[in-house]
Amino acid sequence: MNRLFGKGKDKAPPPDLGACISNVDKRAEDMDKKAAQCEGELRKIREQMKKMRDGPAKNALKQKALRILQRKKMFDNQSDSFRSQSFNMEQATMALQTAKDTQVVVAGMKAGVKEMKKEFKKIDVDKIEDLQDELADVLEISEDVQEALGRSYNIPDVDEDELEAELDALGDEIALDDDTSYLDEAVHAPNAPDKEPSRPGAVRNTDGVPVDEFGLPQVPAT
């Protein structure tokens, strides 16, 4: 088939915007350099014209300055045009990169949603409900067990009459505890004697020795 109809030409690769921007920026810099050269020549001509008198030579130099000025303006216009082109291509590059980033984000979101659906298919909602019911039953049983363990036995019932009687009895005991009259009696009691009381006339035996009521010799006080 290629012999009959020939072989199609290979498609040229798409232009690289980054390379295009670099190329255009370089051309704009070249225009700026040429415009700067023209400006330098104009300064020299202006200095020369200051020293010259009016006449054909000065007029010729003025015509040369006009041509150089025209060239400078042309270079300036070319530089502005190149920089505008570079700016437009930079905007296109940013828009293209934003579109690529958006595609990546969208693809990631799609993959995430797909994975989530896959995982949720493994979850049975009915089983979760049953698990919640079982958990509630277990907690209820736990409360019953705690209540049973905390139950008290053989505790006598006390009615309000017994409570009032007990409180009245406690009040009487408190009143007795507050009575300090016995302390006053102890304070006003007579002091203990600090000297040995005098003995009545002692009975003596035939030898003249004092004896007690039983006729035994008395021990002299120390």
Side-chain angles (χ1 to χ4, degrees):
M1 295 295 293
N2 291 335
R3 295 178 181 178
L4 295 176
F5 300 101
K7 187 178 180 180
K9 295 182 179 180
D10 296 334
K11 293 182 179 181
D16 185 2
L17 287 179
C20 292
I21 293 172
S22 299
N23 187 22
V24 172
D25 288 339
K26 186 176 181 304
R27 294 178 66 183
E29 291 175 359
D30 292 339
M31 295 297 105
D32 291 338
K33 290 179 181 179
K34 291 180 179 181
Q37 291 176 357
C38 293
E39 186 175 355
E41 292 179 3
L42 288 175
R43 289 178 179 178
K44 290 180 181 180
I45 292 175
R46 184 183 61 180
E47 295 296 329
Q48 292 177 2
M49 290 177 63
K50 288 180 180 180
K51 300 176 182 179
M52 296 176 65
R53 296 180 180 180
D54 294 337
K58 188 174 182 180
N59 292 334
L61 194 60
K62 185 183 293 186
Q63 292 297 323
K64 180 180 180 181
L66 290 174
R67 291 191 297 270
I68 293 174
L69 181 60
Q70 290 176 350
R71 291 177 58 195
K72 180 180 180 300
K73 288 185 176 182
M74 180 185 66
F75 293 145
D76 288 337
N77 292 334
Q78 287 292 329
S79 176
D80 292 339
S81 177
F82 287 145
R83 295 194 183 282
S84 296
Q85 295 176 18
S86 176
F87 177 74
N88 293 334
M89 285 188 291
E90 286 179 354
Q91 285 188 322
T93 301
M94 293 176 62
L96 179 61
Q97 186 62 41
T98 301
K100 290 181 179 180
D101 294 340
T102 302
Q103 291 179 1
V104 173
V105 173
V106 172
M109 293 176 64
K110 287 182 178 179
V113 171
K114 183 178 180 181
E115 190 66 21
M116 289 173 64
K117 289 181 178 179
K118 181 180 178 181
E119 294 299 327
F120 276 118
K121 287 181 179 179
K122 301 177 183 179
I123 300 175
D124 190 350
V125 179
D126 295 334
K127 291 183 179 180
I128 295 177
E129 293 293 339
D130 295 339
L131 181 61
Q132 291 290 342
D133 295 338
E134 292 178 1
L135 180 59
D137 294 338
V138 171
L139 293 176
E140 185 176 358
I141 294 172
S142 176
E143 291 180 358
D144 294 339
V145 171
Q146 295 298 326
E147 183 179 357
L149 292 175
R151 189 179 303 165
S152 300
Y153 301 95
N154 296 327
I155 297 178
D157 295 334
V158 180
D159 55 12
E160 294 183 0
D161 295 336
E162 293 181 1
L163 176 61
E164 292 180 0
E166 184 69 21
L167 293 177
D168 293 338
L170 290 175
D172 294 338
E173 292 180 1
I174 293 174
L176 291 175
D177 292 338
D178 293 338
D179 185 8
T180 60
S181 59
Y182 65 93
L183 296 177
D184 296 334
E185 295 177 357
V187 171
H188 297 290
N191 296 329
D194 54 357
K195 296 181 179 180
E196 182 179 0
S198 59
R199 295 182 180 180
V203 180
R204 300 177 181 274
N205 59 12
T206 56
D207 297 331
V209 178
V211 294
D212 58 10
E213 57 187 0
F214 299 104
L216 298 176
Q218 293 183 356
V219 180
T222 57

